[in-house]
Amino acid sequence: MVNDKINTKVAVALSGGLDSSVTCYLLKQQGYDVCAITVKMVDDEKFDTIVKNAKDVADKLDIPHYVLNLSKEFKHDVIDYFENSYRLGKTPNPCILCNRTIKWGRLFDYAIEELGCDYVASGHYARITDDNGIKKMYPARDEKKDQQYYLFELNQKHLSKILFPLSDYVKEEIRQIAIDNDLPAKSSKESQDICFITKPMTTKKYLLEKFGTKTGNFIYINDGRKLGIHDGFWQYTIGQRKGIGIAFEQPLYVVKLDAAKNIVYVGTKDDLYSDSVVIHDVKFQYPFEKTSFEAMVKIRYNMQTQKAHVIYDNNTKTAKIDFDYPVASVTPGQAVVFYDVNDRHLIGGGWID
């Protein structure tokens, strides 16, 4: 039998880390014509090292390696968004913006349009299946690593040309493949969430350097009492408990931020809960006609899905989500993603106002 994969060209988004390295290896083993693309997102030593590590992997596997310097675009699309979100009292999700604008934006377009690739692959943990010509995204086998949430803005143009080779593996198996084949990334650690904030820098230190300090009030949300002062609302996020430093009869949590007045509203755990949330810029991964439907919903990545009723307004691209049971820490700036109640495939999502 002729292996038709040999004539199928696949570009892998290669960071030089474990997952993307094994993605390259698996696709080459399956017979695809594989090349690798590494994006340099910031002009600094860390990303120079990333490029070098990726080249080492490509050389080991004997595949072509391309480097895209998108540092200016990344600064505009991701870093500026990140900083502006905090400035407005929101908690951003830069990974989703990076997926939209960089990985499945400029890298994807470069691979398809400039290199003539048939598919673009990555080390994401998710599964794409065909449902009568409609591509749908399902959870990967390794549910602990499932990354559908970060990919909710992908559409049919993307899904029809994406390969996720890791969907049938768990993380331990991926590392063993790297060890068995002596891939340079075999001992690499998990990448940190925010790639442009490098240790020992933390998000809090980064924001302090960017915004400095400005005295504001802690206000008890239930009666308007002033409970203390802080050095800037941007140092806090909804649901935060540690670091408030106020003696009170019950543990206090951050429940609301007022950027204009530099106020951090605090309350008890009960004050964190909401019955509903409104989201904007709603996108569906495939043609979806319903405007009222039940779904399983996440309001942040690291939470269990919750049953809810979604009412969608096609004119404004907004949706109101009413939860069966109250959810904690609805956070402006975060993404809300909804899944099919029966088979858990990803339907779409939007952003909390």
Side-chain angles (χ1 to χ4, degrees):
M1 181 183 292
V2 176
N3 184 358
D4 61 350
K5 292 179 180 176
I6 198 75
N7 296 315
T8 302
K9 189 173 183 180
V10 181
V12 176
L14 177 63
S15 68
L18 181 67
D19 292 331
S20 60
S21 298
V22 173
T23 294
C24 288
Y25 170 80
L26 291 173
L27 290 171
K28 186 171 183 183
Q29 286 298 108
Q30 292 166 20
Y32 288 101
D33 177 10
V34 180
C35 66
I37 305 174
T38 301
V39 174
K40 188 174 184 183
M41 298 177 185
V42 180
D43 278 321
D44 64 10
E45 278 188 26
K46 176 187 174 180
F47 278 90
D48 287 339
T49 301
I50 287 173
V51 170
K52 180 185 180 302
N53 291 343
K55 185 179 187 308
D56 289 344
V57 173
D59 288 348
K60 170 76 176 181
L61 295 174
D62 192 26
I63 59 176
H65 180 232
Y66 302 90
V67 178
L68 277 182
N69 189 333
L70 297 178
S71 53
K72 289 182 180 178
E73 293 84 350
F74 186 81
K75 171 70 168 62
H76 177 269
D77 294 341
V78 181
I79 297 178
D80 288 354
Y81 146 81
F82 176 84
E83 294 173 357
N84 289 334
S85 294
Y86 275 107
R87 190 177 283 112
L88 294 171
K90 298 181 178 182
T91 302
N93 199 314
C95 293
I96 295 177
L97 264 289
C98 182
N99 277 321
R100 180 210 295 174
T101 63
I102 304 297
K103 293 175 185 174
W104 305 108
R106 293 175 179 86
L107 184 153
F108 180 89
D109 292 342
Y110 176 74
I112 301 298
E113 297 169 10
E114 300 295 325
L115 299 182
C117 294
D118 300 289
Y119 294 96
V120 180
S122 73
H124 284 96
Y125 287 81
R127 181 192 308 276
I128 298 172
T129 65
D130 187 277
D131 181 6
N132 293 316
I134 298 295
K135 302 295 183 180
K136 294 181 179 179
M137 189 185 298
Y138 286 81
R141 177 181 160 210
D142 191 341
E143 293 188 7
K144 291 183 294 184
K145 293 290 296 178
D146 184 69
Q147 292 171 305
Q148 289 176 281
Y149 176 88
Y150 293 112
L151 302 168
F152 85 89
E153 293 192 311
L154 299 184
N155 56 35
Q156 290 296 294
K157 179 188 84 169
H158 301 106
L159 297 181
S160 64
K161 293 184 177 295
I162 284 177
L163 298 178
F164 289 144
L166 306 191
S167 62
D168 290 325
Y169 296 88
V170 296
K171 187 73 175 191
E172 293 76 13
E173 293 169 337
I174 295 301
R175 188 168 295 281
Q176 193 59 51
I177 290 171
I179 292 170
D180 291 345
N181 294 278
D182 195 30
L183 297 182
K186 62 186 178 184
S187 300
S188 65
K189 298 178 181 179
E190 288 285 324
S191 58
Q192 61 191 98
D193 287 338
I194 303 176
C195 65
F196 56 89
I197 298 179
T198 306
K199 291 180 180 179
M201 181 65 75
T202 64
T203 299
K204 185 171 183 177
K205 290 178 182 177
Y206 182 95
L207 295 173
L208 274 172
E209 284 192 4
K210 182 60 59 175
F211 301 137
T213 60
K214 183 180 179 182
T215 301
N217 295 326
F218 283 113
I219 300 294
Y220 188 45
I221 198 163
N222 290 307
D223 59 19
R225 272 186 291 163
K226 176 182 173 181
L227 297 183
I229 59 173
H230 58 78
D231 290 328
F233 70 87
W234 48 86
Q235 299 179 53
Y236 301 89
T237 189
I238 308 301
Q240 180 176 334
R241 178 181 172 185
K242 294 181 180 179
I244 296 175
I246 299 173
F248 200 69
E249 57 261 29
Q250 297 182 62
L252 289 175
Y253 298 81
V254 176
V255 297
K256 182 182 176 182
L257 301 174
D258 186 329
K261 297 180 180 178
N262 193 23
I263 294 174
V264 176
Y265 289 94
V266 294
T268 64
K269 191 171 185 178
D270 288 344
D271 297 318
L272 283 176
Y273 285 85
S274 304
D275 295 315
S276 64
V277 62
V278 174
I279 60 176
H280 68 277
D281 196 19
V282 174
K283 295 174 182 173
F284 295 98
Q285 287 208 323
Y286 57 91
F288 195 82
E289 304 300 327
K290 297 179 181 177
T291 56
S292 179
F293 56 95
E294 302 297 314
M296 302 302 295
V297 177
K298 277 188 177 186
I299 64 168
R300 72 184 67 84
Y301 172 66
N302 58 346
M303 70 169 284
Q304 294 292 319
T305 55
Q306 301 290 326
K307 184 82 176 295
H309 185 77
V310 181
I311 301 173
Y312 171 64
D313 186 330
N314 187 50
N315 292 321
T316 60
K317 308 300 181 188
T318 60
K320 183 172 185 287
I321 299 173
D322 295 309
F323 294 96
D324 286 13
Y325 300 97
V327 295
S329 305
V330 171
T331 305
Q334 287 290 292
V336 174
V337 176
F338 31 88
Y339 309 80
D340 184 86
V341 291
N342 297 312
D343 64 13
R344 304 301 172 98
H345 77 263
L346 197 154
I347 298 173
W351 297 88
I352 301 174
D353 290 308

